C-alpha cells in the first residue's frame, strides 16, 4: 500500500496543505493582534512582519506545491524585507528614531533593492546575499538588546521582559533562516537538491511561525517574566542618589500607577538619564527597572487588598496593571502567593489577632 506513493507524491502532500495552513494561522494571529491592541498605538513594522510572513508562506505553497516557478523571481526580494521589518519593530521599542521617515524607509529598503539587482545580473549570489542580510540584522538586533530588558525604554514596564524574550527569539529565527538557506545552497550544489525540498518546506515554515508569534508577542509587550541577570557590579554613591531620587518621585507622585510608564518616560519625569537609572537599579538592587516598578505596584496592591473591600480586578487596574495574568505573575514573584490567597491569609490573620485580644 505504501509503495503506491512515490517520493514525488509524498512531497506534494507535504507542500500543498501546510504552507496555506500556516498562512491562515498567521492571518488569524494578525487579526488577533489588531483587535487586542486597537486602543493602543500599534507597532507597524511588527504587524507588517506578520503579514509578510503570511505572504511568504502562500508563495512557498504556490512555488513548491503547485510548481509556479515565477514565484522564485520575487520570493527572494520579499524575503529580504523580513529582517529590516524585524529591526524596525525592535527600534520602536528601544529608542525614538530621529531620522525622518523617508530616510529610514530608504535605508531599510537597501537589502530588497540589492536582491532585486542580483536577480537581474547575478542570480548565483542571491543565496549568499540573503544569508548575510539575515545574519547582519540578527546581530544588529542583539546589539540593541545588550542592556537586557531595560533596553526597551519605550515599552511599558509591565511587558518589557517578555518583549525582550520575544525579540531574542526573533533574532534566533533570523539566524535559523540563514542557516537553512546555507544548508539548502550546499545541498543544491552537492546532492542535486535531494533533500532541499523537504528542508525548505519544514524549516522555512517553522521560521515563519516563530517570526509571526515573536512579532505578536513583542508588539503586545505584556506578560512579564523573569530574566537572567549578570553578576551585579558594586553600587556607588551616585547609584544611591539616583535611586533615592526615583524612590522619592515614585512615592510622592505614584508614577507606577501609570500603565503606560516606561523607562524613557520615567527618565523625563525624574530628569535623570535612562541609562543612569537602569544601571543604578541593576547594580544596587540586582533587578531590572520593570521589576523595580512592579514591586511598587505589588506593594500598593497588598495594602489595598488588606485595607479595602475592592475586588482583585479593581486593585489590579488601580495600581497600574492591565491584565490578570501579568498581575498574578508579578504578585507571585513578590509574595509567593496569588492575590486571592494573600487576601484570605490576611483576613484569617486579622481574625486570629482579634481572638487573641479577647
Amino acid at each position: 500500500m505504501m509503495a503506491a506513493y512515490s517520493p514525488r507524491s509524498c512531497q506534494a502532500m507535504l507542500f500543498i496543505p501546510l504552507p496555506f495552513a500556516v498562512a491562515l494561522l498567521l492571518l488569524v494571529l494578525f487579526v488577533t493582534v489588531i483587535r487586542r491592541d486597537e486602543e493602543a498605538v500599534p507597532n507597524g513594522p511588527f504587524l507588517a512582519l506578520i503579514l509578510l510572513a503570511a505572504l511568504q508562506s502562500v508563495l512557498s505553497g504556490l512555488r513548491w506545491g503547485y510548481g509556479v516557478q515565477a514565484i522564485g523571481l520575487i520570493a527572494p526580494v520579499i524575503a529580504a524585507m523580513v529582517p529590516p521589518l524585524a529591526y524596525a519593530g525592535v527600534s520602536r521599542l528601544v529608542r525614538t528614531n530621529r531620522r525622518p521617515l523617508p530616510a529610514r524607509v530608504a535605508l531599510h529598503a537597501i537589502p530588497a533593492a540589492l536582491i532585486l539587482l542580483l536577480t537581474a545580473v547575478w542570480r548565483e549570489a542571491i543565496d549568499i546575499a540573503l544569508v548575510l542580510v539575515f545574519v547582519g540584522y540578527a546581530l544588529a538586533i542583539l546589539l540593541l538588546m545588550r542592556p537586557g530588558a531595560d533596553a526597551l525604554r519605550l515599552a511599558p514596564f509591565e511587558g518589557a521582559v517578555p518583549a525582550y524574550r520575544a525579540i531574542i527569539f526573533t533574532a534566533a529565527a533570523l539566524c535559523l533562516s540563514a542557516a537553512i538557506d546555507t544548508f539548502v545552497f550546499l545541498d543544491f550544489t552537492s546532492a542535486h537538491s535531494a533533500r532541499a525540498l523537504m528542508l525548505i518546506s519544514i524549516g522555512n515554515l517553522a521560521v515563519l511561525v516563530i517570526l509571526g508569534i515573536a512579532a505578536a508577542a513583542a508588539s503586545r509587550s505584556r506578560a512579564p517574566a523573569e530574566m537572567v541577570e549578570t553578576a551585579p557590579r558594586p553600587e556607588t554613591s551616585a547609584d544611591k542618589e539616583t535611586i533615592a531620587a526615583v524612590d522619592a518621585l515614585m512615592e510622592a507622585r505614584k508614577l507606577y500607577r501609570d500603565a503606560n510608564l516606561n523607562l524613557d518616560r520615567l527618565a523625563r519625569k525624574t530628569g535623570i538619564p535612562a541609562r543612569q537609572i537602569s544601571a543604578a537599579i541593576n547594580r544596587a538592587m540586582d533587578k531590572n527597572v520593570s521589576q523595580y516598578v512592579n514591586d511598587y505596584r505589588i506593594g500598593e496592591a497588598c495594602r489595598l487588598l488588606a485595607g479595602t473591600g475592592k475586588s482583585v480586578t479593581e486593585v489590579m487596574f488601580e495600581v497600574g496593571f492591565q491584565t490578570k495574568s501579568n498581575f498574578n505573575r508579578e504578585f507571585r514573584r513578590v509574595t509567593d502567593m496569588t492575590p486571592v490567597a494573600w487576601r484570605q491569609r490576611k483576613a484569617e490573620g486579622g481574625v486570629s489577632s482579634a481572638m487573641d485580644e479577647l
Side-chain angles (χ1 to χ4, degrees), residues 256-332:
Y256 53 85
R257 292 180 177 176
D258 180 3
N260 295 315
L261 184 66
N262 55 41
L263 183 54
D264 190 64
R265 184 175 296 186
L266 180 61
R268 291 199 305 270
K269 290 182 179 295
T270 58
I272 302 172
R275 183 176 299 179
Q276 182 177 332
I277 294 174
S278 174
I281 291 175
N282 288 336
R283 282 194 292 259
M285 308 182 76
D286 194 19
K287 63 180 66 174
N288 57 51
V289 185
S290 64
Q291 292 170 332
Y292 164 82
V293 172
N294 284 334
D295 284 351
Y296 267 100
R297 290 170 172 167
I298 298 303
E300 181 170 358
C302 289
R303 291 190 292 272
L304 292 174
L305 289 172
T308 71
K310 295 180 179 180
S311 68
V312 172
T313 301
E314 289 175 322
V315 170
M316 175 191 77
F317 284 120
E318 186 168 338
V319 301
F321 285 98
Q322 295 295 296
T323 64
K324 286 186 176 180
S325 60
N326 300 340
F327 179 51
N328 289 337
R329 187 176 292 109
E330 285 297 276
F331 203 97
R332 280 183 178 275

Side-chain angles (χ1 to χ4, degrees), residues 85-99:
L85 281 175
Y87 183 86
V90 174
S91 295
R92 291 198 58 176
L93 297 175
V94 173
R95 61 193 176 202
T96 303
N97 204 320
R98 294 183 175 85
R99 288 195 183 116

Side-chain angles (χ1 to χ4, degrees), residues 173-228:
L174 295 180
C175 291
L176 176 60
S177 180
I180 292 172
D181 287 342
T182 301
F183 188 88
V184 169
F185 174 76
L186 296 175
D187 194 60
F188 267 112
T189 57
S190 62
H192 305 292
S193 71
R195 296 178 297 273
L197 198 60
M198 179 74 71
L199 183 63
I200 293 172
S201 176
I202 297 176
N204 284 346
L205 290 177
V207 169
L208 293 177
V209 171
I210 293 172
L211 281 174
I213 294 175
S219 175
R220 184 177 186 179
S221 184
R222 289 291 185 259
E226 295 288 341
M227 67 172 287
V228 178

Side-chain angles (χ1 to χ4, degrees), residues 233-245 272 276 279-281 283-284:
R233 292 174 291 176
E235 63 179 297
T236 64
S237 58
D239 291 340
K240 294 180 180 179
E241 293 175 1
T242 297
I243 294 175
I272 302 172
Q276 182 177 332
I281 291 175
R283 282 194 292 259

